[in-house]
Amino acid sequence: MHLDLPPDQQAFLEGLVKAGRFPSTSKAIGEAVRLLASQEQLKQQVQLGVEEAERGAVTDHDTVFGQLRAMAADLENGRGT
């Protein structure tokens, strides 16, 4: 695949490579795509949460924090989830 990037974006990527952050511009672009995919997934999850809240399918904060505390305790005890 060949990408035509604006000069400022190309310079940014080359700067990351020169700084040792990535071994190549291809690796930097791969990381950018991974982050973009992650951001899109988060947006979808937030939208699902909004839709659930609009339907009244919400969990009170005490329950949520109780579940989080239990998960954290499991992780501390090496059980995972």
Side-chain angles (χ1 to χ4, degrees), residues 25-52:
T25 54
S26 293
K27 294 289 185 182
I29 290 170
E31 177 66 6
V33 171
R34 186 193 68 74
L35 289 171
L36 181 59
S38 177
Q39 182 182 28
E40 289 300 313
Q41 182 181 18
L42 178 59
K43 285 180 184 179
Q44 289 174 355
Q45 291 171 339
V46 167
Q47 183 58 41
L48 287 174
V50 168
E51 291 168 4
E52 287 177 356

Side-chain angles (χ1 to χ4, degrees), residues 10-74:
Q10 182 69 33
F12 176 73
L13 290 173
E14 290 170 357
L16 292 173
V17 172
K18 286 179 185 174
R21 177 71 174 86
F22 294 95
S24 67
T25 54
S26 293
K27 294 289 185 182
I29 290 170
E31 177 66 6
V33 171
R34 186 193 68 74
L35 289 171
L36 181 59
S38 177
Q39 182 182 28
E40 289 300 313
Q41 182 181 18
L42 178 59
K43 285 180 184 179
Q44 289 174 355
Q45 291 171 339
V46 167
Q47 183 58 41
L48 287 174
V50 168
E51 291 168 4
E52 287 177 356
E54 288 173 347
R55 289 193 311 270
V58 294
T59 305
D60 66 89
H61 73 283
D62 289 334
T63 300
V64 171
F65 281 101
Q67 291 170 343
L68 289 172
R69 285 185 193 98
M71 289 170 62
D74 285 347

Side-chain angles (χ1 to χ4, degrees), residues 72-80:
D74 285 347
L75 289 172
E76 285 181 8
N77 295 323
R79 290 190 294 253

